[in-house]
Amino acid sequence: MVPISIEAFVNKHCKNNPGENPNQLRKNLKQVVKDKKNGETCHNCGQEIWAIGSAVAYQGCFSCLTGEADSSGDYEISEVCWS
């Protein structure tokens, strides 16, 4: 995973998704970062959650949310980017 700050991700995501509410996204990201720090796991498989994907979809891991195994080129919030 590639570390990114909440603000940098909100800016990037909202630039590419103009209909997105940046304040709601920021709030969602802060909550899932807290959840990940508290050990929240994917509802499907039990792996650690992917904060960014969980903020825009449902609390899940990278693989369950994307169907992909390789997360090396994808973003994760820097304060919880452990893998």
Side-chain angles (χ1 to χ4, degrees):
M1 295 249 143
V2 178
I4 190 170
S5 70
I6 287 177
E7 284 307 311
F9 180 76
V10 168
N11 291 336
K12 180 181 283 289
H13 182 78
C14 290
K15 181 179 178 183
N16 294 327
N17 300 278
E20 189 78 47
N21 179 329
N23 292 325
Q24 186 62 53
L25 178 58
R26 192 176 294 106
K27 180 181 174 184
N28 292 351
L29 284 165
K30 288 178 180 179
Q31 182 60 54
V32 294
V33 162
K34 192 181 301 185
D35 292 344
K36 186 169 180 173
K37 286 180 175 181
N38 288 329
E40 187 69 33
T41 58
C42 176
H43 294 300
N44 291 325
C45 71
Q47 296 296 312
E48 73 178 29
I49 62 171
W50 176 34
I52 286 175
S54 297
V56 295
Y58 64 90
Q59 282 194 311
C61 69
F62 179 83
S63 294
C64 287
L65 288 169
T66 66
E68 299 175 8
D70 182 12
S71 63
S72 62
D74 290 276
Y75 292 111
E76 177 60 303
I77 301 303
S78 54
E79 62 189 284
V80 292
C81 188
W82 302 320
S83 41

